[in-house]
Amino acid sequence: MLFRSKPDDQLVRRLRLPKDDEIFGFVEQMLGASKMLVRCKDDKVRIARIPGKMKRRIWIREGDVVIIQPWSVQGDKKCDVVWRFTKPQVDRLSRQGLI
């Protein structure tokens, strides 16, 4: 038998945060073929792609908050999507002042 001190909705869960070369982004427009326009926190608009390992596991729509990783070549124009946040996670990030 497992005892918990808090109800399930109040359990503290860690959120995925950007690492060294990763940035928060906001999906502005879907372009098709697993590509989208993302407005990044550094005020640049990049063309993002969904890598193959995430392509069928995760659905991204306009308005979603994501973590992107700029490419080493053409980093100001292109990037990969690393993570997508759910609505409760976005609310928590905004309460903490991270986005």
Side-chain angles (χ1 to χ4, degrees):
M1 186 169 190
L2 180 66
F3 294 99
R4 293 184 181 165
S5 60
K6 298 180 182 179
D8 287 345
D9 57 336
Q10 293 180 351
L11 286 175
V12 177
R13 293 195 177 110
R14 290 188 45 150
L15 287 176
R16 167 85 158 74
L17 296 175
K19 295 180 181 162
D20 297 333
D21 56 342
E22 298 174 345
I23 306 170
F24 282 113
F26 180 78
V27 179
E28 286 190 340
Q29 181 181 4
M30 299 301 292
L31 301 176
S34 298
K35 295 187 192 275
M36 64 202 77
L37 284 179
V38 175
R39 178 165 304 278
C40 301
K41 196 169 182 181
D42 59 357
D43 291 331
K44 294 181 182 175
V45 177
R46 293 180 170 95
I47 296 175
R49 74 178 179 107
I50 303 171
K53 68 179 182 178
M54 293 178 62
K55 202 175 278 189
R56 287 176 184 81
R57 293 189 177 104
I58 189 168
W59 291 90
I60 298 176
R61 297 179 298 272
E62 291 180 15
D64 283 348
V65 176
V66 294
I67 294 178
I68 58 107
Q69 181 176 21
W71 289 4
S72 58
V73 178
Q74 295 182 342
D76 291 340
K77 297 179 183 174
K78 297 186 179 182
C79 61
D80 286 335
V81 174
V82 177
W83 188 263
R84 177 186 60 94
F85 291 102
T86 61
K87 177 71 173 144
Q89 291 172 337
V90 171
D91 293 340
R92 186 168 164 202
L93 285 172
S94 62
R95 274 193 315 251
Q96 293 175 352
L98 296 172
I99 57 172

